[in-house]
Amino acid sequence: MSTASLSPPAPASGVLSRIERELLEIWSTPASPGEPPKARVCTMNLVVVAGEREIASLYTPVVDDVTRSIPARAIIVALDPDAHDNALEADTTAVCARGESGEVVCSERVRLVALGGVCDRVGSAVEALCVPELPTTVVWLGRVHVDDPVFLSVAANAQRIVLDTDYTSLTSLLHLARWAREDPTRPHLADLAWTRLSTWQELCARFFDDASTTGLANAVTRVAVRQASDPGTRLGSEGALLLGWLATRLGWKTSRIGGALRFKRPDGGTVGLHLGTVKRPAEVAPTALAGVTIEAERDGVRLKGTIERELGSGLAAATPDADVLVWRLEVEGKQALEQRVRLSANKGAKVLERTLHRPTEDPALTESVAFAEEVFEDGVVCS
Amino acid sequence: MNATTNPLRRGLVDDRTGDACTVVIFGASGDLTRRKLMPALYNLAVSRALPGGFAVVGQARRDKTHEQFRAEMREGISKHSRRKPIDEAVWSDFERGISYVAGTFEDPATYTRLRDHLAEIDRERGTRGNRLFYFAVSPAEFGTIVGGLKSADLVADAGARTGPWSRVVFEKPFGHDLESARELNDTIARVFHESQVFRIDHYLGKETVQNLLVFRFANSLWEPIWNREHVDHVQITVAEEIGVEGRGKFYEQTGVTKDIVENHLMQLLCLTAMEPPISLAADAVRDEKVKVLRSLRPMERSMVAQNVIRGQYGRGFVRADEVPAYRDEPDVDRQSCVETYVAMKVEIDNWRWGGVPFYVRAGKRLARRVTEISVQFKKVPHTLFRAPDGGITPNVLTMRIQPDEGIALRFTTKEPGQQTILRDVAMDFRYGAAFGSNTPEAYERLLLDAMRGEATLFTRRDEVEEQWAYIDRVFDAWTSEGNTPPPVYSSGTWGPEQADDMLARDGRRWRKP
């Protein structure tokens, strides 16, 4: 690995030229005797932008993990607009992983720190360093402002922008969604919180797969969402997005009666809503989704579906990267069904990896965000 | 699944869950169950692809308890699953759904016990009366089993649009010639409608084989040149390093033509040569494959000697180890005439491929284990550049199915320098490097497809019968020649010299992959 912070400041183009030379040198250096040969593989440009150096440093191992399974040129950018210097610092290295048959496959990682006024030009630096002809995904760590010139310049060459609304806000995603819709050439959007929901969505759908219960999907009477937080905490992104997803799939509208939030079904029926909390173990993310209950009734047939997350259960198990969800379906007059499934791995790298594997366009996300933002952004709290 | 009825399935990105069902494995004591089927089902459980209502019932002759069967399956999964170690949380749920029913296939009581057991599972595990019967048994048992299922009223009506379904999955060999394939299909058809029948050719479950369709039909680059105007010839190779590995008895009845060419290799040929289907629906794809099979120029007896080369491996060295001749393998006749290698020149009489030979070969104890499809393009019409052999090497597009799955394109470039020196280089895309190697195994994909009723990757009755109709002519010719012993090739080589001669007559040569 070669690292060189420039001091005194040099022109940014000089720094980029050095980085380009170093990238070439990584691959031109022959392996030492006895060392296995390395193969450079690149399937995409993965650009990560953080508003602080510390966040960029924390996220670097996540990016390295992801590029071990999705070989890419990773460009991690830290912005420090308040710095006194106007400079660009950079270093580069190869991140390698040994495959099953012993071959060593390497990605490239470039780290940039833009100081002071250079932040405005960081989009130009990123564009210069991206591998041409390959798709570019930008992971934006932090709030997005669609009139921010730095964001616009970095996003200009991307096919997809990834946020994590657990750590930003639904508003950020909503504004971004509106911005993206204005012009079809703009990038598609993805949200790590939305990816984390996919197992919950799948399990909720299973409540209504049986022909005898499918009709009950249009007769939901109550939904309860529990998140891992202290009582009185605002509903987190995962819970809000899940409710947005349910509501948009089932055609619900909001209905406030005496200040209490409820939903109205297309047939005029009311869906009660309960937002609760469970104690959050230290290793679980704040406001992580902890449980869902859906109740439905029609023609005397009652259904109750619950999904409970065994919080922290993954940490002690043999596969220490995800908790277990217990899915339970009770339909009156039938044997209750129960299934235990692993929640998709919830480590940052795995979630980003799964997000990158998903189709770039996901209409359900934008629909759900729009609904969730409208209902929950004004501060719905969990009791 | 249920996308049209369950509103929560609308737009679900990860919607690849099987229908609620019980998988009933006949022949559950065998190796296939322990090595392939149960690890595949367990892997599906880990990846959350199994439905809420799911169970597996093993069925075999030997008496054993549910617990014994579960313990055997756990051991098989521990050894053979790509996901290690066993995830106890997933296993504890998965094993609750595993049970065992003992009995002979001939005994009607076996099926009544099975019926009662399945009804109980439906009540307890919500499997909704859906059954996926997997025949991990010899084809000789198929008739008895389907008869038993029918008599015990275990087969749901195929025509019912709602309500429980029954499907049957079985493994090759789908017969040993056209007549026996028809008989086998007729036997199955007496009980199951064709839409309920899933014939597994595990090659079709491999990612790279599925990628053939994507590669051909999702890239506009290839379609304009994928024809006789631009393609000189195609080579398809299925080469193995291993010998018969203790299966001498089986191989004496089979040979490489029936074991590999009639199914795997013909399927690869179809996917390479077929026209774009109107959709990816099962019958749309299978219709196009059948058209290719019907376009194959029938191998007349007089053509067989020229266009089909047999071989049998002799002693030699594979990966530097000395290995015995086929005839010295256990359970093999010392005078055996069974072929362990075959090379064929196949002609497709249609508009796209007229005049473009497809050279196919398959063999055991060859120099390397490799399965690939190689499309060799025509030479440039005029040589502008001085090249060492007087011509420029034509472009070659190679799709490697195994190992090192990937796609390589060979083309010519200029070496840097004052002189114009030409050099062949390859653009080489490797699946494992680009996407990681932990992809689902063929059986995972195929079992899940069967649970979902998606038949695209399974062979249809007419495909199987067309394949046999083509291959039968070759065997007719060999039989009429008095079944003379095939030429012997040394183990660790690329087959008999006669196979090289076959291509040399056309001014071509085999690739050494």
Side-chain angles (χ1 to χ4, degrees):
Chain A
M1 170 173 170
S2 76
T3 306
S5 295
L6 291 182
S7 184
S13 62
V15 177
L16 295 183
S17 299
R18 175 177 57 76
I19 289 297
E20 284 165 341
R21 273 197 312 278
E22 289 177 2
L23 285 168
L24 285 174
E25 281 165 15
I26 289 173
W27 307 113
S28 61
T29 309
S32 308
E35 195 181 319
K38 297 181 180 69
R40 172 206 176 201
V41 182
C42 190
T43 59
M44 65 183 299
N45 298 296
L46 179 61
V47 180
V48 176
V49 184
E52 294 171 32
R53 280 183 191 230
E54 193 189 349
I55 293 174
S57 297
L58 285 172
Y59 211 72
T60 300
V62 172
V63 173
D64 288 351
D65 260 8
V66 169
T67 56
R68 284 190 182 99
S69 59
I70 305 178
R73 176 172 287 182
I75 303 170
I76 302 171
V77 184
L79 302 173
D80 189 356
D82 300 330
H84 295 300
D85 292 337
N86 289 327
L88 184 68
E89 296 174 359
D91 67 60
T92 184
T93 189
V95 176
C96 302
R98 192 180 291 268
E100 277 183 355
S101 49
E103 80 285 2
V104 177
V105 174
C106 300
S107 289
E108 301 157 326
R109 186 231 289 153
V110 178
R111 288 193 299 190
L112 301 176
V113 180
L115 302 170
V118 173
C119 289
D120 295 342
R121 290 177 271 146
V122 83
S124 158
V126 167
E127 186 178 357
L129 289 172
C130 280
V131 180
E133 301 295 337
L134 288 179
T136 298
T137 291
V138 173
V139 180
W140 196 271
L141 303 173
R143 281 183 182 257
V144 175
H145 300 282
V146 292
D147 50 359
D148 174 356
V150 178
F151 167 75
L152 291 173
S153 65
V154 174
N157 295 301
Q159 282 72 50
R160 180 157 45 172
I161 308 284
V162 179
L163 296 185
D164 189 344
T165 49
D166 260 356
Y167 294 95
T168 57
S169 70
L170 286 174
T171 313
S172 283
L173 187 56
L174 189 76
H175 290 170
L176 201 54
R178 282 194 197 126
W179 170 81
R181 270 199 305 270
E182 285 168 7
D183 182 344
T185 63
R186 286 180 180 160
H188 295 290
L189 303 180
D191 176 17
L192 300 178
W194 179 252
T195 303
R196 282 191 286 269
L197 274 187
S198 61
T199 308
W200 295 87
Q201 293 168 334
E202 164 59 34
L203 294 183
C204 285
R206 283 183 193 182
F207 293 139
F208 304 103
D209 274 342
D210 191 308
S212 67
T213 59
T214 301
L216 290 166
N218 296 317
V220 173
T221 53
R222 182 174 177 271
V223 175
V225 170
R226 295 169 288 285
Q227 68 179 24
S229 67
D230 294 330
T233 310
R234 276 174 55 157
L235 180 66
S237 282
E238 289 182 15
L241 284 171
L242 185 78
L243 285 168
W245 172 74
L246 282 170
T248 52
R249 300 307 92 183
L250 300 175
W252 299 344
K253 305 286 180 209
T254 53
S255 154
R256 289 182 191 273
I257 300 172
L261 178 63
R262 296 163 188 225
F263 298 113
K264 269 268 191 261
R265 299 194 308 249
D267 65 1
T270 302
V271 182
L273 175 65
H274 176 77
L275 304 174
T277 58
V278 300
K279 190 171 164 46
R280 179 175 75 90
E283 66 277 9
V284 170
T287 72
L289 197 55
V292 177
T293 301
I294 298 176
E295 293 172 18
E297 183 173 0
R298 172 172 285 175
D299 302 331
V301 181
R302 270 192 285 187
L303 173 149
K304 183 180 179 187
T306 54
I307 307 164
E308 292 295 345
R309 177 173 173 180
E310 293 184 344
L311 286 163
S313 57
L315 299 170
T319 312
D321 61 357
D323 291 343
V324 167
L325 295 184
V326 181
W327 175 91
R328 187 174 171 82
L329 176 63
E330 296 165 55
V331 180
E332 210 165 70
K334 290 189 175 177
Q335 175 84 23
L337 299 178
E338 194 172 293
Q339 189 182 21
R340 291 162 67 83
V341 299
R342 275 263 173 230
L343 184 59
S344 306
N346 52 11
K347 284 196 301 194
K350 287 290 177 195
V351 176
L352 178 55
E353 188 184 319
R354 284 169 48 223
T355 305
L356 296 175
H357 279 304
R358 288 163 75 98
T360 47
E361 199 169 356
D362 186 354
L365 168 62
T366 38
E367 289 168 23
S368 304
V369 168
F371 187 94
E373 196 272 347
E374 175 195 331
V375 176
F376 301 105
E377 195 57 26
D378 61 354
V380 175
V381 295
C382 302
S383 54
Chain B
M1 115 180 197
N2 297 320
T4 52
T5 50
N6 181 349
L8 293 185
R9 293 264 167 218
R10 183 168 55 89
L12 210 55
V13 169
D14 297 332
D15 185 18
R16 277 285 298 170
T17 310
D19 288 354
C21 66
T22 304
V23 177
V24 182
I25 304 173
F26 288 97
S29 298
D31 246 15
L32 182 70
T33 307
R34 215 166 37 86
R35 296 171 73 94
K36 295 287 183 189
L37 302 181
M38 288 305 253
L41 291 169
Y42 165 77
N43 290 339
L44 290 173
V46 175
S47 54
R48 300 170 297 280
L50 290 185
F54 181 77
V56 191
V57 177
Q59 199 290 322
R61 289 184 171 85
R62 277 176 235 159
D63 277 330
K64 63 182 82 164
T65 62
H66 298 316
E67 288 69 29
Q68 282 171 320
F69 184 63
R70 285 176 193 141
E72 285 173 16
M73 294 306 109
R74 184 185 166 107
E75 191 197 342
I77 290 166
S78 302
K79 268 191 194 161
H80 303 293
S81 166
R82 69 188 166 89
R83 296 180 186 268
K84 294 186 176 93
I86 281 191
D87 183 327
E88 294 298 338
V90 175
W91 169 256
S92 69
D93 194 66
F94 183 68
E95 82 164 340
R96 280 203 300 274
I98 299 176
S99 57
Y100 184 79
V101 172
T104 63
F105 302 142
E106 296 78 15
D107 183 1
T110 301
Y111 302 94
T112 48
R113 275 202 305 280
L114 181 63
R115 185 187 60 205
D116 296 345
H117 184 59
L118 290 172
E120 192 182 328
I121 288 174
D122 285 337
R123 283 192 299 274
E124 288 181 358
R125 296 194 60 81
T127 43
R128 303 180 204 160
N130 296 329
R131 325 275 189 231
L132 184 69
F133 298 112
Y134 200 109
F135 289 5
V137 297
S138 148
E141 315 274 17
F142 287 3
T144 311
I145 298 173
V146 295
L149 292 173
K150 176 80 175 163
S151 301
D153 202 19
L154 276 165
V155 182
D157 179 10
R161 295 180 67 86
T162 56
W165 51 254
S166 301
R167 296 175 191 137
V168 61
V169 183
F170 59 98
E171 292 267 338
K172 75 175 183 71
F174 312 128
H176 51 83
D177 56 15
L178 177 58
E179 192 185 338
S180 60
R182 279 184 179 150
E183 274 176 27
L184 193 62
N185 284 329
D186 287 345
T187 301
I188 303 281
R190 277 195 280 278
V191 176
F192 290 95
H193 184 266
E194 179 62 25
S195 64
Q196 296 174 297
V197 179
F198 290 72
R199 296 173 190 83
I200 276 198
D201 182 334
H202 72 270
Y203 256 55
L204 297 183
K206 288 179 183 289
E207 283 285 341
T208 34
V209 174
Q210 294 162 45
N211 192 41
L212 261 171
L213 292 175
V214 176
F215 183 75
R216 282 196 57 197
F217 302 126
N219 294 291
S220 60
L221 177 64
W222 305 115
E223 186 52 26
I225 58 171
W226 208 259
N227 55 47
R228 66 192 166 88
E229 298 297 330
H230 299 277
V231 175
D232 179 74
H233 71 283
V234 177
Q235 293 186 17
I236 304 179
T237 300
V238 180
E240 293 179 285
E241 289 170 350
I242 56 170
V244 293
E245 306 294 298
R247 296 195 309 154
K249 205 170 170 183
F250 163 79
Y251 221 73
E252 280 287 276
Q253 303 298 317
T254 316
V256 73
T257 313
K258 291 179 180 176
D259 190 34
I260 301 290
V261 178
E262 182 274 330
N263 38 70
H264 303 325
L265 213 151
M266 294 299 250
Q267 286 291 323
L268 294 182
L269 185 145
C270 287
L271 291 168
T272 308
M274 73 187 215
E275 296 296 319
I278 56 164
S279 75
L280 283 179
D283 280 337
V285 173
R286 299 191 295 186
D287 285 348
E288 295 305 332
K289 287 197 287 174
V290 167
K291 281 187 206 165
V292 173
L293 293 166
R294 288 182 181 151
S295 306
L296 299 183
R297 184 178 301 170
M299 197 72 83
E300 301 299 340
R301 266 188 199 173
S302 57
M303 296 162 57
V304 169
Q306 292 286 305
N307 292 345
V308 185
I309 305 298
R310 289 186 296 162
Q312 188 185 77
Y313 64 80
R315 285 178 56 216
F317 296 90
V318 175
R319 300 173 79 88
D321 283 340
E322 187 168 12
V323 294
Y326 175 70
R327 290 180 182 184
D328 295 331
E329 299 272 15
D331 300 321
V332 170
D333 186 339
R334 297 294 170 258
Q335 307 299 319
S336 174
C337 293
V338 166
E339 81 290 357
T340 61
Y341 173 96
V342 69
M344 299 168 68
K345 179 180 175 182
V346 179
E347 307 246 24
I348 303 174
D349 287 333
N350 66 16
W351 199 268
R352 184 188 287 265
W353 295 115
V356 179
F358 281 61
Y359 300 105
V360 303
R361 60 179 166 170
K364 286 193 168 291
R365 288 277 192 240
L366 297 183
R368 283 184 62 194
R369 170 180 169 253
V370 61
T371 299
E372 65 163 38
I373 299 160
S374 159
V375 179
Q376 314 234 354
F377 292 93
K378 291 188 171 171
K379 287 185 175 182
V380 290
H382 172 62
T383 306
L384 283 175
F385 308 101
R386 197 157 46 88
D389 64 351
I392 296 170
T393 321
N395 299 126
V396 179
L397 177 73
T398 303
M399 290 162 280
R400 286 187 305 271
I401 309 298
Q402 62 182 18
D404 296 331
E405 295 89 335
I407 293 163
L409 178 65
R410 189 178 75 191
F411 57 96
T412 305
T413 57
K414 175 187 174 297
E415 277 197 23
Q418 299 295 337
Q419 292 174 302
T420 303
I421 298 173
L422 307 188
R423 169 93 79 87
D424 286 344
V425 293
M427 284 200 295
D428 197 347
F429 163 76
R430 287 170 187 247
Y431 241 71
F435 298 120
S437 51
N438 200 20
T439 49
E441 287 177 10
Y443 276 94
E444 289 173 46
R445 171 67 197 250
L446 295 171
L447 280 166
L448 188 57
D449 278 5
M451 280 185 236
R452 294 167 59 86
E454 294 172 3
T456 306
L457 300 179
F458 295 83
T459 41
R460 202 169 58 188
R461 175 180 182 145
D462 49 355
E463 282 180 84
V464 170
E465 293 180 4
E466 291 292 346
Q467 286 168 189
W468 277 120
Y470 185 76
I471 293 296
D472 268 8
R473 287 171 177 267
V474 174
F475 278 93
D476 285 349
W478 287 344
T479 309
S480 71
E481 286 169 9
N483 224 0
T484 50
V488 171
Y489 59 95
S490 298
S491 287
T493 66
W494 281 104
E497 287 172 5
Q498 289 86 338
D500 297 334
D501 297 341
M502 180 174 77
L503 265 70
R505 281 196 296 276
D506 293 347
R508 300 179 176 111
R509 62 177 178 224
W510 288 110
R511 281 170 47 77
K512 291 209 163 119

